[in-house]
Amino acid sequence: MSLQPKLQLTFDDWLEGERASLEGRSEYLDGEVFAMTGASVEHNAIVVNIASELRTQMKGRPCQVYANDLKVRIRPADAGKYPDLIALCGEHQFQDGRRDVLLNPSLIVEVLSDSTEAYDRGKKFAIYRQIPSLREYLLVSQHQVQVELFSRGDDGRWTLSDYSALTDSVPLPSVGCTLSLAEVYDKVDLKPA
């Protein structure tokens, strides 16, 4: 029995395919491509709520929030990802003139799903930590009021702050915003996993 070799792509090959694709999205990691699945109503509501809150607070400032379709390039990990939300203040750095692959996010938000939670907490976070500009990584549950904020200190160490009450607010100093959990979970039908 012989094993078939895995098809290895370069980041540029993957990016060309992503840009040309009319079907689904995929993520890239060190030569391998992984298909992405669709998201639930709750997942989408949370993404919209957070994006709306951040956008409102960013008005009049050189800050921007992007949802779902903007890719992030993590060069040290040879990876390309589609975070649920990306935010930054100041100058944007892009992969190329297409301006669809961001290199320098300050904040990345992932809404946890049953199928990706372990990956988002583990390997994906390890990959994201290799982005020099990243200051905050926010994990948001779609099944209960639960938000975890990982913040990078000046010494490069990551610390965790946990929020689990609708009266809580999450400070996001990297983008000069604060998220109210009541707003994050507004109109979200929380159902246990």
Side-chain angles (χ1 to χ4, degrees), residues 54-109:
L54 292 177
R55 184 185 177 284
T56 298
Q57 294 178 46
M58 290 175 170
K59 284 187 175 183
R61 298 189 299 125
C63 303
Q64 188 65 47
V65 60
Y66 301 101
N68 295 322
D69 291 330
L70 189 64
K71 296 170 273 304
V72 171
R73 171 78 162 123
I74 307 99
R75 285 190 174 128
D78 191 24
K81 302 291 181 190
Y82 283 96
D84 290 323
L85 286 164
I86 309 163
L88 74 151
C89 296
E91 183 182 342
H92 292 56
Q93 296 171 7
F94 292 101
Q95 174 79 14
D96 56 30
R98 291 281 298 266
R99 299 173 52 88
D100 61 344
V101 181
L102 187 67
L103 302 175
N104 65 326
S106 300
L107 166 68
I108 291 179
V109 179

Side-chain angles (χ1 to χ4, degrees), residues 22-38:
L22 299 176
E23 303 172 16
R25 298 181 304 172
S26 64
E27 291 190 333
Y28 174 86
L29 178 60
D30 196 25
E32 294 185 67
V33 176
F34 302 90
M36 296 179 65
T37 59

Side-chain angles (χ1 to χ4, degrees), residues 4 26 46 99 110 131 159-160:
Q4 293 293 326
S26 64
I46 291 168
R99 299 173 52 88
E110 294 288 1
I131 302 171
T159 58
L160 168 64

